[in-house]
Amino acid sequence: MTKRYELNELIRSDNFIDGKWVVSAGGKRFDVTDPATGKVIAQVADSHAADARAATDAAARAFPAWRDTLPKDRAAVLHRWHALMVENADALGRLISLEQGKPFAEGRGEVMYGASYVAWFADEATRIYGDIIPQQQRGKRMSAIKEPIGIVAAITPWNFPLAMIARKIAPALAAGCTVVGKPAEDTPLTALALVMLAHEAGVPAGVLNLISASRDNAVPAVADWLADSRVRKITFTGSTPVGKYLARESAGTLKKLSLELGGNAPFIVFDDADVDAAVTGLLAAKFRNGGQTCVCPNRVYVQSGVYERFADLLTTRVAALKVAPATDPAAQIGPMINARAIDKIARHVDDAVSRGARVLTGGKRLPELGPTYYAPTVLADATPEMQLSCEETFGPVVPLFRFDDEAQAIHAANDTPFGLASYFYSQDVRRIDRVARQLEAGIVGINEGALASEAAPFGGVKESGYGREGSKYGLDDYLSIKYLCQGGLE
Ligand code: NAD
C-alpha cells in the first residue's frame, strides 16, 4: 500500500541532500508566495555554492553503487515512485495550484502527466541495449555498450513545477545517473514534495539531491555545478538567454547539455481547414496554464478566406473562459505567475494596439480579481513589427495575423530564431505533407492542439535548444557509448 499524504504533510522547506533534510549552509531562507494573493506559503532554503557543492559530493559518493544496480531494480524504485505520485495526485495537484496558480484540474493533470514519464522511464531502464558490431578483422570482437553519463544537474522553470523536473529525474535515475537539482525560485515546493516521495519509494541516499535558491543565489549555486568536472551533464528547461549562459559557462568542463528553451510557436489555419476544429485546437493549445507554456501558440496565422469566421468563433469562445483563482472549481484560467509576467503581457498588448491591432475581446488586467490576473485576449490585425510577434508573450493573448498564400504563411512561421512547437490545420493531404516538412520546429501539431505525451520526443531546433525528453530517444541524453574492442581471440 502506498501512503496518502495531506497537502500540509507534503510541504518541505529544507534542502534534500544525501537522504536528509538539511538547512542551507548560510541558514538563509526566502519566501514562496501564492501568485493569486501574494501571501507567503512557506520559507525555503536559500542555498549558495556551498550547498550545491554538498549536493555534488553526495551524488558523487552515491554514483558507483547506483550505476551498478540492476536495471530491473532501478525500474522497481521508479515504479514505486510513480505509484506514490498517483496515490497523492490530489494533494500534489493542490500544491501545484497553490504555488503556481493553475486551476486544480490542470494541477492534477500535470501530476498524472509528470508521473507518466516516471512509469515510461522505469520501463525504459530495462531496455538499455548495446550492439555487437559485425566482425571487421579476424581475432577481434567489437561491441558498443551504453553507460550512465555520471552526475546530472537538473534546473527547471516555474510553469510546470512537477512535470519538468520529473521528466529529467526519471530518465537520469533510469540510466543509472545520480542527480543534483534546483527548481525555479517561484515554485520549489512541488519539487521538494516529489523528492520526498522519491525517497519513500526507495531512491537511495545521495542518488537524488535537491536544493532551492532565490533568483540571486541561483547564479552562484548553479555556477558551482557548471565549474565542477564531476558534474557531467546539465539538463535545463527555461528561457533561451539562460540556456545560452549555461552552455557558455559549462564549456570549461565540456559537459553534455540538454536544453529545452523558449518557443514562439506559429499556429496556421488554412482556408481548407475545419475551422471549428481549429478553434478548439487553438483553445486547447493556447490557454492551458493561462498561456504560460513553452509550446503554446504565440502567433496565429489565418488565411484570408476563413479569417473573419475564425476570428468570430474564437472571440466568442475566448470571451466565455472563466478567469478565477485556482481554488474555484470552475476556473479555466488562474493568475499569472508574478508581477514581471503580467507586466510583459500588458506591454505586448499595449504595443500591439499602439501599432494598429484591434482588441476583439479582453485586452486588460482584471484588478477586481487581483494584481496578477489578465483577461483572455484576442487581437486582430497583428503585424510582424509588434513585440508579440518576436517574443513569447507567455500569457492568455492570441494575436491573429492574416495571410493570403501558403508560401507566405510558411515564411512567416519560420521567420523566428525559435523552433519548438508549431501547429497547422488543413484537410488537404498534399498540403499536410508539404507544410509538415517545411516547418522549422521540433514538434508539429497537424489538426491537433494537444501534443504532449511521454511516448513522444519533446524538444526543439534552432534557439529552442537541443536534446529530447520522453520517448525511446529520451534516455540517450543520459548515456554515453563505450566501444569495446577485444583482441587476441584467434
Ligand atoms: P528562466 O530561464 O528564467 O529560469 C529557469 C531556471 O533557471 C530557474 O530555475 C532559474 O532559477 C534558473 N536560472 C535563471 N537564471 C540563472 C542563472 N544565471 N544561472 C543559473 N540558473 C539560472 O525561465 P522561467 O522564466 O523560469 O521559465 C520560462 C521559460 O521557460 C520560457 O521561455 C519557456 O518557454 C521556457 N520553457 C521551456 C520549456 C521547454 O520544454 N522547451 C518548458 C517550459 C518552459
Side-chain angles (χ1 to χ4, degrees), residues 156 158 182 185 215 236-239 260-261 294 392 458:
T156 51
W158 51 265
K182 191 207 74 65
E185 54 280 0
R215 186 81 175 185
F236 171 74
T237 299
S239 60
E260 303 279 354
L261 308 176
C294 51
E392 271 181 308
F458 188 103

Side-chain angles (χ1 to χ4, degrees), residues 154-485:
I155 302 151
T156 51
W158 51 265
N159 58 348
F160 289 90
L162 186 143
M164 294 300 111
I165 198 137
R167 71 187 198 185
K168 298 186 183 313
I169 296 173
L173 298 192
C177 299
T178 55
V179 176
V180 294
K182 191 207 74 65
E185 54 280 0
D186 291 296
T187 58
L189 298 175
T190 309
L192 290 164
L194 211 54
V195 163
M196 172 188 145
L197 297 183
H199 181 57
E200 190 179 325
V203 174
V207 168
L208 175 55
N209 309 277
L210 196 79
I211 63 170
S212 54
S214 62
R215 186 81 175 185
D216 287 346
N217 282 348
V219 181
V222 171
D224 201 77
W225 291 337
L226 298 176
D228 193 325
S229 59
R230 294 173 297 170
V231 176
R232 294 313 318 148
K233 179 180 170 76
I234 305 283
T235 173
F236 171 74
T237 299
S239 60
T240 293
V242 176
K244 289 179 180 176
Y245 160 83
L246 296 175
R248 271 196 312 273
E249 296 298 312
S250 63
T253 52
L254 280 186
K255 299 185 200 313
K256 187 165 176 172
L257 279 98
S258 299
L259 301 173
E260 303 279 354
L261 308 176
N264 182 2
F267 185 107
I268 309 170
V269 184
F270 289 101
D271 277 347
D272 55 31
D274 175 337
V275 173
D276 287 332
V279 170
T280 300
L282 179 60
L283 284 161
K286 176 73 213 184
F287 290 100
R288 193 162 60 106
N289 202 13
Q292 302 172 107
T293 75
C294 51
V295 290
C296 79
N298 200 51
R299 300 166 291 147
V300 179
Y301 298 99
V302 189
Q303 202 162 4
S304 303
V306 291
Y307 187 91
E308 302 303 338
R309 195 161 128 244
F310 183 86
D312 284 352
L313 278 171
L314 180 70
T315 302
T316 308
R317 291 188 57 189
V318 171
L321 290 171
K322 167 95 171 160
V323 186
T327 43
D328 183 333
Q332 290 170 296
I333 296 185
M336 300 295 108
I337 188 70
N338 54 31
R340 199 156 44 106
I342 194 141
D343 288 347
K344 182 179 188 189
I345 296 165
R347 176 165 58 76
H348 275 193
V349 172
D350 294 347
D351 168 74
V353 170
S354 76
R355 293 171 194 263
R358 274 182 302 128
V359 177
L360 299 184
T361 184
K364 57 180 195 288
R365 297 173 191 249
L366 298 172
E368 62 279 20
L369 289 174
T372 46
Y373 289 89
Y374 201 88
T377 298
V378 181
L379 301 174
D381 304 338
T383 59
E385 300 72 41
M386 296 172 180
Q387 287 174 12
L388 44 64
S389 169
C390 315
E391 286 176 52
E392 271 181 308
T393 303
F394 238 54
V397 178
V398 181
L400 301 179
F401 300 75
R402 189 190 291 266
F403 72 92
D404 293 315
D405 65 58
E406 187 181 300
Q408 193 191 356
I410 289 172
H411 177 265
N414 290 339
D415 190 17
T416 166
F418 302 99
L420 186 56
S422 58
Y423 306 79
F424 68 95
Y425 275 70
S426 166
Q427 298 190 93
D428 176 333
V429 286
R430 279 172 298 185
R431 169 172 275 160
I432 287 173
D433 178 60
R434 246 185 352 254
V435 175
R437 282 187 288 108
Q438 289 182 84
L439 285 173
E440 297 169 357
I443 303 169
V444 183
I446 305 164
N447 296 327
E448 179 58 59
L451 312 179
S453 161
E454 75 280 12
F458 188 103
V461 297
K462 294 160 78 177
E463 294 187 23
S464 291
Y466 39 75
R468 292 294 178 269
E469 293 190 328
S471 83
K472 68 169 184 170
Y473 309 108
L475 267 189
D476 291 344
D477 280 16
Y478 297 87
L479 296 165
S480 55
I481 293 175
K482 183 182 273 176
Y483 158 49
L484 308 178
C485 180

